[in-house]
Amino acid sequence: RERIQLPSMTLERLRELEFPLGLGVKDVVERFLDAQRVSDELLVESVISNRHYLRYRFFTYVTSKIMLLEYQGKQNEAEELIKMRLTAVKTHLEYDIPFKQAVLRAENGLKNAVISENPKDSILSYVNRKPVLELNALWTVTYSALVAWNEKARFEGASAVPRDTVDRIRLCAAVLDDTEEFQAVLAPELKLLQKVIGSKDADRSSFVKGVEDSALQGLGVLIGQ
């Protein structure tokens, strides 16, 4: 497939092109189409700035709209949407494939730490001099594993969980929590999740109050990934 050339964007440019939070899918599609009508480059920049909106519902809506327009004989409008969808998909993949590859490497790094004689030293060795993408992937893998095992224990009972393995994963998570260099580069949405997961308060709605937009947008991207 022909790849999208991702532009280099400043933080100011990203903020300039951000859509308001809480837009409906129809409004998001219209804004992307407006950007495309100006230029293909502006559409790519707009997609990058609003990747948190590229969820399953978005692509389902666009595809169904294309089918309706084609059925109605409105081929020009359908082709405009097809072009926009293709650009959105390509741009989305260019950003997400590196993260997914980093997740695979992180899964292997966590596995090696868990089966090693010293999980703490092993996980510290893994994070040493790793780029930010790799560190965020490692956090995602580590905490996803903990949540998955906790859910299994909740529904199937403690006997269904390999306690030694879970304890070792929990030790790795504690190392990440206590490493200042790691916490300093952790993405805002992961810091938010870290607080929620670590809270013993049954009512976790308070964590949402005062949360920055970047954290909420990051959560949308993470869910999409």
Side-chain angles (χ1 to χ4, degrees), residues 9-202:
M9 298 179 66
T10 64
L11 181 60
E12 290 74 17
R13 182 60 172 167
L14 288 167
R15 293 286 183 263
E16 177 187 348
L17 295 177
E18 279 181 358
F19 300 162
L21 286 176
L23 283 182
V25 176
K26 182 179 179 181
D27 290 330
V28 173
V29 170
E30 287 302 320
R31 285 172 180 256
F32 281 150
L33 286 174
D34 287 342
Q36 180 174 259
R37 289 165 188 145
V38 175
S39 69
D40 292 342
E41 292 76 14
L42 180 59
L43 173 59
V44 171
E45 287 187 320
S46 296
V47 171
I48 291 172
S49 302
N50 298 281
R51 282 171 59 241
H52 50 288
Y53 278 117
L54 300 186
R55 308 272 291 279
Y56 178 78
R57 183 183 300 175
F58 170 85
F59 289 109
T60 300
Y61 174 85
V62 172
T63 300
S64 62
K65 184 70 173 178
I66 289 170
M67 294 174 66
L68 176 62
L69 290 171
E70 289 177 335
Y71 176 77
Q72 294 173 336
K74 300 177 180 179
Q75 195 58 38
N76 290 340
E77 294 179 45
E79 288 178 359
E80 185 180 41
L81 266 178
I82 290 170
K83 180 182 177 183
M84 185 273 288
R85 181 182 62 182
L86 181 60
T87 299
V89 168
K90 286 183 175 182
T91 305
H92 197 41
L93 288 176
E94 286 298 328
Y95 265 89
D96 292 339
I97 285 177
F99 180 74
K100 291 178 180 178
Q101 292 172 335
V103 164
L104 292 176
R105 290 189 290 271
E107 288 175 344
N108 192 53
L110 179 62
K111 172 188 170 185
N112 290 336
V114 168
I115 65 177
S116 70
E117 292 185 2
N118 192 323
K120 179 179 179 179
D121 287 348
S122 180
I123 206 70
L124 283 174
S125 176
Y126 180 82
V127 302
N128 186 39
R129 297 183 179 179
K130 285 286 193 301
V132 173
L133 179 68
E134 302 285 339
L135 299 179
N136 284 311
L138 179 61
W139 185 97
T140 303
V141 166
T142 302
Y143 272 87
S144 294
L146 281 179
V147 170
W149 283 120
N150 287 338
E151 287 296 292
K152 187 176 181 66
R154 187 160 69 94
F155 288 107
E156 300 180 25
S159 60
V161 174
R163 180 51 52 192
D164 182 61
T165 297
V166 174
D167 287 343
R168 285 170 170 263
I169 296 174
R170 188 172 286 113
L171 173 59
C172 292
V175 171
L176 302 182
D177 293 349
D178 295 338
T179 303
E180 291 184 8
E181 296 83 357
F182 185 91
Q183 291 295 314
V185 299
L186 199 60
E189 64 272 16
L190 299 186
K191 289 182 178 179
L192 173 61
L193 287 175
Q194 186 170 260
K195 290 179 180 178
V196 173
I197 293 171
S199 172
K200 298 186 184 301
D201 187 351

